[in-house]
């Protein structure tokens, strides 16, 4: 089942974090585990993310939902996204794009093809049917803040 992470607020742009295991086929060896969390509430995580986003132009803060990027990101993960040039994308980067339904999704780049980048959620068995192109690319993940999910 292909269940993308949908971002409920804002637009996201991403800068790759170089996470281990993201360079190849991301779903091939990932065993989903609970996403990391802290005892920091969503409000505090949002405030911290906003401070990081404010340090450079082209960054913004969003909150994720869904399970497609588990175990890296889970419900209520706060992400800072940053714009990136399409030509600078590389396999393994975690990118945000707008899908055909108009939802913003964060998944991992697999490889560049004739029609754009192949992508897949880490926790998905199959790659996305859509491709990331220069026209639907939002950006890359710059930073993430795990929360306990509570507003505090």
């Amino acid at each position: 089942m292909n269940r993308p992470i949908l971002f409920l607020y804002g637009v996201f742009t991403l800068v790759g974090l170089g996470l281990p295991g993201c360079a190849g086929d991301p779903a091939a060896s990932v065993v989903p585990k609970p996403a990391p969390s802290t005892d920091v509430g969503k409000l505090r995580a949002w405030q911290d993310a906003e401070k990081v986003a404010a340090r450079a132009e082209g960054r913004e803060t969003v909150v994720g939902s869904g399970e497609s990027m588990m175990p890296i990101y889970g419900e209520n993960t706060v992400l800072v996204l940053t714009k990136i040039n399409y030509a600078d994308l590389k396999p393994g980067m975690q990118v945000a794009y707008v899908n055909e339904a108009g939802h913003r999704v964060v998944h991992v780049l697999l490889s560049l093809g004739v029609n754009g980048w192949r992508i897949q959620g880490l926790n998905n068995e199959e790659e996305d049917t859509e491709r990331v192109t220069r026209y639907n690319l939002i950006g890359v993940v710059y930073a993430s803040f795990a929360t306990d999910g509570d507003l505090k």
Side-chain angles (χ1 to χ4, degrees):
M1 176 178 221
N2 190 357
R3 296 178 55 199
I5 288 182
L6 302 178
F7 286 86
L8 305 175
Y9 180 88
V11 175
F12 31 78
T13 29
L14 324 150
V15 167
L17 297 177
L19 296 172
C22 290
D25 178 1
S29 62
V30 174
V31 176
K33 301 176 197 165
S37 66
T38 64
D39 61 357
V40 174
K42 207 180 337 181
L43 181 59
R44 177 57 191 257
W46 181 270
Q47 292 168 339
D48 292 346
E50 284 284 285
K51 289 177 185 175
V52 171
R55 291 184 179 169
E57 194 172 317
R59 291 184 189 165
E60 60 185 291
T61 306
V62 298
V63 177
S65 66
E67 299 175 356
S68 69
M69 289 296 286
M70 294 284 282
I72 303 298
Y73 308 128
E75 284 291 320
N76 298 313
T77 300
V78 180
L79 299 175
V80 175
L81 307 166
T82 191
K83 295 186 180 203
I84 188 170
N85 291 323
Y86 185 78
D88 294 332
L89 295 175
K90 299 196 179 347
M93 287 182 163
Q94 299 165 25
V95 300
Y97 73 99
V98 179
N99 69 14
E100 291 174 354
H103 297 125
R104 290 163 287 188
V105 178
V106 171
H107 281 170
V108 177
L109 292 176
L110 300 176
S111 64
L112 181 59
V114 177
N115 297 324
W117 282 90
R118 293 175 42 242
I119 48 177
Q120 184 172 353
L122 289 173
N123 196 29
N124 292 346
E125 293 181 21
E126 298 177 13
E127 71 183 60
D128 299 12
T129 57
E130 298 177 54
R131 300 292 181 251
V132 172
T133 68
R134 67 182 69 256
Y135 305 107
N136 67 357
L137 173 66
I138 297 168
V140 292
V141 175
Y142 180 78
S144 66
F145 297 81
T147 73
D148 64 6
D150 290 336
L151 275 176
K152 51 178 162 169

